[in-house]
Amino acid sequence: MRHGKVHRKLNRTAEHRRAMFANMCAALIKHEQIVTTLPKAKELRPIVEKLVTLGKKGGLAMRRQAISEMRDLDQTRKLFDVIAARYKDRIIKAGFRYGDNAPMAVIEFVDRDVDAKGLDSGPVQEKAAEAA
């Protein structure tokens, strides 16, 4: 059975993978963009997202967890001071729905197109553009 086998091995030992991802996380936070292979990028994404979540929570215990994961004090400082502040409010709470009182939220991309809000890409929008 294959229970719990979710990550790629990438032809490396566990220690090598852990060190490689720690270095890649530090490089990604330092340069904010790195070029790597697709499998490594797919494996790196959840690790970095968890580090950003630690940065958003803040606090000494979260900072120590991030340091133990990345092993780079300067990049941990940048993660908590710059990057976490940038991604602090990406999900905005929008109250509760009238019918069943379900909590609602607005989710937006980091570099979103402000002019694209409210535009429909369906056939109704295309007909309106042709008529004008």
Side-chain angles (χ1 to χ4, degrees):
M1 288 193 257
R2 61 164 308 277
H3 297 304
K5 296 184 180 182
V6 291
H7 299 291
R8 294 172 179 88
K9 291 185 178 180
L10 301 172
N11 284 335
R12 288 164 172 81
T13 61
E15 295 85 9
H16 188 179
R17 268 194 313 276
R18 185 174 165 113
M20 178 186 66
F21 285 134
N23 291 333
M24 289 176 72
C25 287
L28 181 62
I29 290 170
K30 180 177 183 181
H31 302 290
E32 298 189 11
Q33 181 184 14
I34 59 173
V35 178
T36 184
T37 63
L38 184 63
K40 285 183 196 173
K42 285 183 177 181
E43 289 297 314
L44 181 68
R45 181 180 175 192
I47 298 170
V48 173
E49 286 177 350
K50 287 174 187 171
L51 288 174
V52 171
T53 303
L54 288 176
K56 286 165 56 173
K57 288 180 182 178
L60 181 61
M62 301 303 153
R63 190 176 293 261
R64 286 179 175 168
Q65 278 186 333
I67 290 170
S68 70
E69 180 73 28
M70 277 196 307
R71 298 183 219 103
D72 191 344
L73 293 176
D74 295 331
Q75 300 316 314
T76 305
R77 193 172 299 116
K78 180 180 178 183
L79 170 71
F80 276 75
D81 297 340
V82 178
I83 293 178
R86 185 185 309 160
Y87 297 111
K88 194 71 171 181
D89 294 324
R90 288 299 135 201
I91 298 177
I92 303 163
K93 294 182 180 177
F96 297 92
R97 187 166 49 204
Y98 175 69
D100 58 355
N101 206 29
M104 303 296 289
V106 176
I107 301 172
E108 62 185 21
F109 289 112
V110 177
D111 296 322
R112 66 181 182 90
D113 185 10
V114 180
D115 298 329
K117 183 177 180 180
L119 292 179
D120 187 14
S121 60
V124 176
Q125 185 70 20
E126 293 173 5
K127 289 180 183 176
E130 291 173 7

